[in-house]
Amino acid sequence: MGALDRSLIADMPNFAALGPDEIDFVLSHAKSVRYPKGAVVFEQGAGAENFFVLLHGNLQVAKLTPAGQQVVIRYVVPGDLFGIAVQMGRPHYPATATAVVDSVALVWPAASWAPLLARCPALAAGALQTVGSRLDDAHVRVVEMSTEEVERRVAHTLLRLVKQSGRKVEEGIQISFPITREDVAQMTGTTLHSVSRILSAWEAQGLVEGGRQRIVVRDPHRLFGLAEGRVAAATAQRNPPLDGEGRRAKPGGVV
Amino acid sequence: MGALDRSLIADMPNFAALGPDEIDFVLSHAKSVRYPKGAVVFEQGAGAENFFVLLHGNLQVAKLTPAGQQVVIRYVVPGDLFGIAVQMGRPHYPATATAVVDSVALVWPAASWAPLLARCPALAAGALQTVGSRLDDAHVRVVEMSTEEVERRVAHTLLRLVKQSGRKVEEGIQISFPITREDVAQMTGTTLHSVSRILSAWEAQGLVEGGRQRIVVRDPHRLFGLAEGRVAAATAQRNPPLDGEGRRAKPGGVV
DNA sequence: ATTCTTGTTTGCGGTTCGACAAATAGCCTG
DNA sequence: CAGGCTATTTGTCGAACCGCAAACAAGAAT
């Protein structure tokens, strides 16, 4: 296998502080691996033998409860450091990572972490920041689940997905990887039924556009207003009652 | 102010890897500060000017939503590193820390982190582990809030509190700092009313014993079974119906 | 001791949302 | 192109749980 090119990681926040020699050193421990769509990169509970940086594609990270219910923790996007159980001193992966599209990642053996750190202490700071921002995300999610009703949680989640992996299309901004209503439900702590109803209601209002494993946000601004709770928007649950003329009774104007 | 004694932190996981000289060096940057009950150690949104280790007492860390709702993130116990926004590269504290009893903490200026790290690289590994375990906790909480109903969430939360800060008393194990039903509600994403009802039901079954700002777990084992969902236990909401003889209809035996 | 404040208990009505069910519609495969 | 699998939509029902309200303790302050 040929040597990996510096440009692969030189611009990533996690490695930006390193000099060219250091980058080469770091890359000399890595190999590049392809994961076809559906492939499991690592599994919850398995020994944490590697850590990774995603180059292309998208992964879903999910936790399975003892009762067999799944909760989606996050989606990994290119540039992300992931599978960093070793760095946190954990012997096992706490969740399962699956490729949702064909993906490519750099892979380091867990054992490489110590020597890498010895040569490039700045890596520790980078990892700390990465984990810190994940911690923040997790706390935001806890707060949302504690204080917001389902519709607003879905709105927030959608906005985050769009921000992270939005691809501009003519009708609006589309989440750039396939994602089911069930997935969204597992991110927001609700059921696929509720998500479907909510998206349908939003679609009727021209807020989003749905499709099979596809979500396009047409009006991010209005969706944001909804996420912030400025308007109750659609009742979503139960179809909104029809008014006298048989048209949908629309909620108060969006501010 | 006299020099701080090594024994203060020598046994803490975060500093265990350091030699005596290094510990002295680390301590030379710190000062010890007392926070009376109710004092705010740092406030959400304020500049992250310090980081801390708790020596005595207990702190509550909570986030406030824009709408003014509060969510309790965790309770800090002696030995914990906290307020480590700097380490994660964040300029502001993401939450507010308040002393729930008279407390004492070691305080370092944020600016000391870099020199400390330069001298003792092992500190980075320690911080990484600390943040990692917090991340785990947060994810566990997300999973619980996504998949468990209120009663089980409260059970899990109580067990965690007991594990972290349980003090043995004659009737069982008591949470060693004052905590209100409202606090528990803010940890589980519910209302103080629901918590009160649940605790009352449990008390009627001899599982716990309540008091003003006081919770004693009498039967941790049964509570655990409940948390794991092995039994539906008490209906909790609404008083359970009386059976023919006027006694409480008890649910199936605990496995 | 009396008053005040803060925390707790409990009841009741209403809403949100999950569980169950069944029909419809894309997409892939043979 | 037919068949089959998976994703989505939509309906109905019921229950978990929250909001409001009011009464009740237990400390703290004066």
Side-chain angles (χ1 to χ4, degrees):
Chain A
M1 180 193 338
L4 299 161
D5 194 276
R6 277 179 207 155
S7 64
L8 285 176
I9 63 167
D11 294 333
M12 296 177 181
N14 268 292
F15 304 99
L18 303 184
D21 290 359
E22 292 176 318
I23 292 189
D24 286 343
F25 180 74
V26 169
L27 283 175
S28 72
H29 288 250
K31 65 183 182 213
S32 162
V33 179
R34 206 182 84 82
Y35 297 96
K37 175 173 179 173
V40 171
V41 180
F42 56 79
E43 200 148 9
Q44 179 172 355
E49 295 172 352
N50 299 293
F51 62 93
F52 311 79
V53 162
L54 190 64
L55 294 179
H56 297 300
N58 287 104
L59 311 180
Q60 182 198 65
V61 180
K63 271 178 99 91
L64 204 61
T65 69
Q69 294 170 94
Q70 205 180 332
V71 176
V72 174
I73 299 297
R74 70 181 184 116
Y75 282 89
V76 180
V77 299
D80 278 2
L81 189 62
F82 69 95
I84 50 178
V86 213
Q87 282 84 338
M88 305 192 267
R90 332 220 127 235
H92 306 288
Y93 293 114
T96 298
T98 313
V100 294
V101 296
D102 288 351
S103 303
V104 180
L106 290 178
V107 184
W108 285 265
S112 297
W113 179 244
L116 254 49
L117 206 52
R119 172 87 187 267
C120 317
L123 287 176
L128 212 36
Q129 283 203 24
T130 296
V131 181
S133 89
R134 301 253 188 96
L135 184 58
D136 243 33
D137 292 347
H139 283 157
V140 165
R141 206 161 148 187
V142 166
V143 169
E144 281 179 11
M145 302 226 311
S146 296
T147 64
E148 296 175 3
E149 65 280 25
V150 172
E151 189 179 17
R152 288 180 57 192
R153 297 208 300 269
V154 174
H156 270 129
T157 300
L158 232 57
L159 287 171
R160 246 175 272 135
L161 285 169
V162 156
K163 191 171 179 181
Q164 211 198 19
S165 319
R167 174 208 297 162
K168 211 174 165 72
V169 295
E170 32 185 339
E171 315 92 58
I173 311 176
Q174 180 178 154
I175 296 169
S176 66
F177 50 81
I179 184 168
T180 67
R181 311 286 184 258
E182 173 84 47
D183 292 326
V184 176
Q186 292 180 354
M187 297 184 78
T188 48
T190 181
T191 63
L192 89 153
H193 305 278
S194 294
V195 172
S196 177
R197 276 187 246 271
I198 289 169
L199 289 185
S200 294
W202 288 350
E203 187 154 12
Q205 294 192 284
L207 267 168
V208 304
E209 199 175 300
R212 193 189 172 83
Q213 304 198 90
R214 199 181 66 107
I215 301 175
V216 181
V217 175
R218 302 192 68 155
D219 191 339
H221 188 263
R222 268 214 298 163
L223 188 59
F224 181 78
L226 210 160
E228 293 304 304
R230 283 209 270 282
V231 265
T235 307
Q237 280 305 109
R238 293 287 182 293
N239 289 348
L242 302 179
D243 65 19
E245 275 73 34
R247 280 172 280 122
R248 300 277 183 206
K250 271 194 287 189
V254 180
V255 182
Chain B
M1 182 194 334
L4 299 161
D5 195 277
R6 278 180 207 154
S7 64
L8 285 177
I9 62 166
D11 294 333
M12 296 178 182
N14 267 292
F15 304 99
L18 304 183
D21 290 359
E22 293 177 317
I23 292 189
D24 286 344
F25 180 73
V26 168
L27 283 175
S28 72
H29 288 250
K31 65 184 183 211
S32 161
V33 179
R34 207 182 82 82
Y35 297 96
K37 175 175 179 170
V40 171
V41 180
F42 57 79
E43 199 148 7
Q44 180 172 353
E49 296 172 350
N50 300 293
F51 62 92
F52 311 78
V53 163
L54 189 65
L55 294 179
H56 296 302
N58 288 102
L59 311 181
Q60 182 198 65
V61 179
K63 269 177 102 89
L64 203 62
T65 69
Q69 294 171 93
Q70 208 178 356
V71 176
V72 173
I73 300 295
R74 70 181 186 117
Y75 282 89
V76 180
V77 300
D80 279 1
L81 188 60
F82 68 95
I84 50 178
V86 213
Q87 283 85 338
M88 304 193 269
R90 333 220 127 233
H92 306 289
Y93 293 114
T96 298
T98 313
V100 294
V101 297
D102 289 351
S103 302
V104 180
L106 290 178
V107 184
W108 285 265
S112 296
W113 179 243
L116 253 50
L117 205 53
R119 172 86 188 267
C120 317
L123 287 177
L128 213 35
Q129 284 205 23
T130 297
V131 181
S133 89
R134 299 254 189 95
L135 184 58
D136 244 33
D137 292 347
H139 283 157
V140 165
R141 205 162 148 187
V142 167
V143 170
E144 281 179 9
M145 303 225 309
S146 296
T147 63
E148 297 175 2
E149 66 279 24
V150 172
E151 188 178 17
R152 288 180 57 192
R153 296 208 301 269
V154 173
H156 271 128
T157 300
L158 232 58
L159 286 171
R160 245 174 273 135
L161 285 169
V162 156
K163 190 171 182 182
Q164 209 198 23
S165 320
R167 175 208 296 161
K168 211 175 164 70
V169 295
E170 34 185 335
E171 316 92 58
I173 311 176
Q174 181 178 152
I175 296 170
S176 66
F177 50 81
I179 185 169
T180 68
R181 310 286 183 258
E182 172 84 47
D183 292 326
V184 176
Q186 293 181 353
M187 296 183 80
T188 48
T190 182
T191 63
L192 89 152
H193 304 278
S194 294
V195 172
S196 177
R197 277 186 246 270
I198 289 169
L199 289 184
S200 293
W202 287 350
E203 186 154 13
Q205 294 191 282
L207 267 169
V208 304
E209 199 175 302
R212 192 191 174 82
Q213 306 198 105
R214 200 182 66 106
I215 302 174
V216 181
V217 175
R218 303 192 67 156
D219 191 339
H221 188 264
R222 266 215 300 163
L223 189 59
F224 181 78
L226 209 158
E228 293 304 303
R230 283 208 270 280
V231 265
T235 307
Q237 281 305 107
R238 294 284 184 294
N239 288 349
L242 302 179
D243 67 19
E245 277 72 33
R247 281 171 280 121
R248 298 278 182 207
K250 270 195 287 188
V254 179
V255 181

